[in-house]
Amino acid sequence: MFRVIHHDTSPLSRSGWVGLGLILVAIHVIILALSPRFAYGVLPVLERPTGTIAALMILAGTAYLAALWWLKLPVRPPRGWWVWVIFVGLAMRAAMVPSTPILETDYFRYLWDGGVVAHGHNPFTHPPDAVRQGNAPAELLQLAGASGLVIERVNQPHLTTIYPPTAQAAFAVAHFIMPWRIEGLRITFLLLDAATFLLLIGLLKQLALPASPALIYWWNPLLIKEGFNTAHMEMTLLPLLVAALWLAVRYRVVAGAAALALATGAKLWPMLLLPALLRVRGGDWKRATIAGLIFAALASLLVGPMLLARLDAGAGVVAYATTWQVNASLYQLINALLAWLHPLAPRLAVAALLLAWIAWLCCTPAADGRAICERVLWITAALFLLSPAQYPWYWLWLLPMLAVRPSPGLLILTATLPLYYLRFPLRELGLSDAFNHGVVWLQFGPALALLAVEAWRHVRDSSPITCKAGVTTTTH
């Protein structure tokens, strides 16, 4: 945890903050300058400066980790510190807003979905390929023509969208702002990003923690690269997660469950967090039951249209749940052990591990708001680390909770996950195995080692936790 700061400001502290902020802004300006070389279809993969981008992002992650170390020093921040923090975060974002998307093309799917929803159509019924081939209603064919090159560039076009209705609403808003333009997504995501930051400060205040760790969110270079350069839709999820936590720590479990249902409508996985939000010491079981029912009703209303539209091999959610595997670390070990039993055996094993982990974490009521946030963090961390797909932007799910409970093992991924970008040139060179069995472990090895040290220290400093009759016993 970050300590309350008492000592006087030193000139070294002031120059340190100025220097680190300038480094982060300068790196993002350089990325902006390099980004046109990643324009869609302009240069072959091997002629793009992918290695340079990865190196710059690793450098940015290192500067960011240095800032977090500086934040822990018992020195009062210099006068105007918050102004500088806000300015640096805004400057980093401003550099990405006009940039050309680097490597990833998911945003074309968001643009297409947003146009479909904004014009009153169901995005879960017709995959882009069917529309392009004329196997769709006339209105969608007209929409495809209006989209220009957008529909031609949607990846996995044979599949229907995997994004539930809350995300679809954000895509539709972006379409109303700027139809068929990534700038519409970026403006929408900037608004959601600001909401996340303000809610996070409110959450820290509610937990009687200093507001300064909100810098963990605001200065994170992975957030800015993945959220605003490649415009990944995780930005629609984060404010809802923080809102659910903020309501839960205020013991407003019904409203918190409703916010969590909306988050489930952006990505399906937040439903796993419901036990952590409802299992609170001193909580009213009747209110918790009502909250659970409200969550189930709202989540069903939000997720139902996607699941009812189609669940065949052409449904994106089915393909994702059964076949997706990218940048996997622990999962590739589980897959190597169990895939011989059945193709789905590794995924079922991961599901069983996650459910067991959630049951163990939530076997007793959370003592206070910080305990709720820690449980949410460790559930989300387990989901990410065991997932068959460990994209860098998925790591953003953890970021708001890391401001409440910083974990060196999870934070170091800011500086190692940019190695993921090497996947593209290595695949082009026919070296996918080198990536899967080498680069993947360079990304996750340091994090897993630090997490093992954190776990060992926890076990060393406290006796085993027993869970009997709803009572937790820990001896320090």
Side-chain angles (χ1 to χ4, degrees), residues 112 131 138-151 180:
W112 171 248
V131 179
E139 295 87 351
L140 285 179
L141 302 183
Q142 293 173 0
L143 199 61
S147 76
L149 292 173
V150 167
I151 194 169
W180 315 118

Side-chain angles (χ1 to χ4, degrees), residues 3 31 34 58 64 90 107 114 116 136 161 167 236-237 253 264 445 447 473:
R3 296 179 290 237
I31 291 173
L34 291 173
I58 290 170
Y64 166 80
L90 288 175
Y107 65 94
V116 171
T161 185
T236 68
L237 171 68
V253 294
T264 302
T473 304

Side-chain angles (χ1 to χ4, degrees), residues 62 88 101 138 155 216 245 257 354 359 421 429-430:
T62 303
V88 169
N155 58 32
I216 290 175
L245 275 175
L354 281 172
Y421 306 139
L429 291 167

